[in-house]
Amino acid sequence: MEFTKMHGLGNSYIYINLFKEHLPEERLAETAVWLADPNRGIGSDGMILIGPSTSCAIKMRIFNNDGSEAKNCGNGLRCVAKYSYEHGLVHEKAFSIETLGGPVFATVEVDEEGRVGAVAINMGQPRLTRQAIPIIGEGDKPVVGEKLEANGETVQVTAVSMGNPHAVMFVEQIEKAPVESLGPVIEKHSAFPDWVNAEWVEVVSETELHFRVWERGSGITQACGTGACAAVVASVLNGYAKQGVPVTVHLLGGDLTIVWQENGDVLMRGPAEYICTGNVFL
Ligand SMILES: N[C@@H](CCC[C@H](N)C(=O)O)C(=O)O
């Protein structure tokens, strides 16, 4: 089976082009785990499938490195957009991508040689109700700074869905964020029926954040695009940033520019890179 390994700010996935390759549905989870294994597979944060869509120009499916399927992936979307444009799966510079979390819209920035540099993704509107995230509890109001007991500590969580669930916590110093110790506890906390991606954010200013993540199904990664979008939305909800004003998010693997637009959509812009292509024996 032919594969392409790509990354967005160090968040790497094995990409399979379903226009060329066939993977049986019942083997998707085990294939994702195997491909992600650095010793027996290739090594990555998971697997992403690029295939035909009946409602959009292209379809993305994302599997974490534990084999669980997620509904969205911001860094993956930028790579899917670059791959799709450069491999002629789409012919326009602006096109839609179907995800299990809903449609998104990609715009690729193309140089004179036809290569895609940065990619902007309109991620649509964040979903803020408890039911949409999901997080247990009553009412329709956004979950902002809600107290949660984790490992004997009390943390304050702002919950945002970008098609997939995020729990954002603000800290004074990003270096001291308890990503490794609290990440796995918050990920599987009983407050989140579908589990959750856990993110820590240090606010530098209204236009600058530091960010660290423990991803649901993959653990610590270099970057999480949907998480960075959730961090900006959470910053606005907590009064640390302004709607309509772009924010630079510093992740372990590099920077993303994100704006929660006045019309309610979240726009993310950043890089997408190839690592290698090859064949694996299924
Ligand atoms: N790395 C991704 C998110 C991947 C899915 C996530 N771990 C989940 O289970 O929801 C990104 O860049 O957004």
Side-chain angles (χ1 to χ4, degrees), residues 45-105:
D45 296 319
M47 173 180 83
I48 288 184
L49 307 178
I50 305 173
S53 168
T54 49
S55 54
C56 293
I58 209 93
K59 181 173 177 177
M60 173 184 86
R61 285 179 72 183
I62 144 92
F63 293 79
N64 293 310
N65 68 20
D66 69 352
S68 60
E69 183 166 15
K71 291 189 174 163
N72 206 356
C73 177
N75 294 319
L77 283 166
R78 297 197 312 280
C79 293
V80 168
K82 178 181 172 79
Y83 181 101
S84 300
Y85 184 83
E86 292 187 0
H87 287 75
L89 306 180
V90 296
H91 302 289
E92 307 295 328
K93 289 180 184 149
F95 53 94
S96 55
I97 304 177
E98 179 185 346
T99 76
L100 292 183
V104 303
F105 296 88

Side-chain angles (χ1 to χ4, degrees), residues 147-211:
K147 289 199 169 87
L148 211 68
E149 297 301 316
N151 243 9
E153 283 184 48
T154 306
V155 292
Q156 290 196 336
V157 160
T158 298
V160 176
S161 170
M162 293 304 308
N164 58 347
H166 297 273
V168 180
M169 291 151 285
F170 292 93
V171 287
E172 291 292 322
Q173 279 176 282
I174 202 67
E175 296 77 21
K176 294 193 178 156
V179 187
E180 214 164 339
S181 56
L182 277 194
V185 181
I186 296 192
E187 177 194 11
K188 296 182 181 164
H189 196 287
S190 56
F192 299 99
D194 292 350
W195 299 353
V196 77
N197 297 287
E199 282 105 14
W200 284 266
V201 173
E202 176 192 329
V203 179
V204 180
S205 70
E206 280 186 347
T207 58
E208 202 181 344
L209 304 175
H210 288 294
F211 173 97

